């Protein structure tokens, strides 16, 4: 039987650390800190609910991160 794969680890920083930052700065910082996928979304954008390890989502209003969450 094949071993169960170990899921990759996520960066240890908290998504709230990005709230208030300019969107381009937040994306650059997130990639530096090891997030494999960074997604900037407009308020009200419809997104799927699947959780992806290593992905950080930003809701961007007026060029700034208003909300950030994993997955």
């Amino acid at each position: 039987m094949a071993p169960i794969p170990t899921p990759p680890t996520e960066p240890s920083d908290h998504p709230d650390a990005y709230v208030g930052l300019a969107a381009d700065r937040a994306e650059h910082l997130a990639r530096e800190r090891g997030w494999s996928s960074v997604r900037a979304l407009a308020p009200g954008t419809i997104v799927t609910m699947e959780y992806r390890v290593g992905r950080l989502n930003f809701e961007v209003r007026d060029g700034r991160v208003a909300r950030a969450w994993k997955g």
Side-chain angles (χ1 to χ4, degrees):
M1 179 181 243
I4 297 173
T6 302
T9 59
E10 292 180 324
S12 61
D13 66 341
H14 196 277
D16 288 343
Y18 298 94
V19 174
L21 297 177
D24 56 343
R25 173 69 182 134
E27 182 175 349
H28 179 76
L29 189 58
R31 292 189 188 281
E32 278 185 348
R33 292 180 177 172
W35 293 98
S36 58
S37 176
V38 180
R39 185 165 66 163
L41 306 163
T45 299
I46 296 171
V47 296
T48 59
M49 297 299 294
E50 86 278 3
Y51 186 89
R52 293 191 55 191
V53 174
R55 178 168 65 188
L56 189 61
N57 300 289
F58 295 142
E59 181 179 290
V60 178
R61 289 188 192 140
D62 300 321
R64 297 212 167 266
V65 177
R67 184 172 84 114
W69 67 98
K70 295 178 181 184

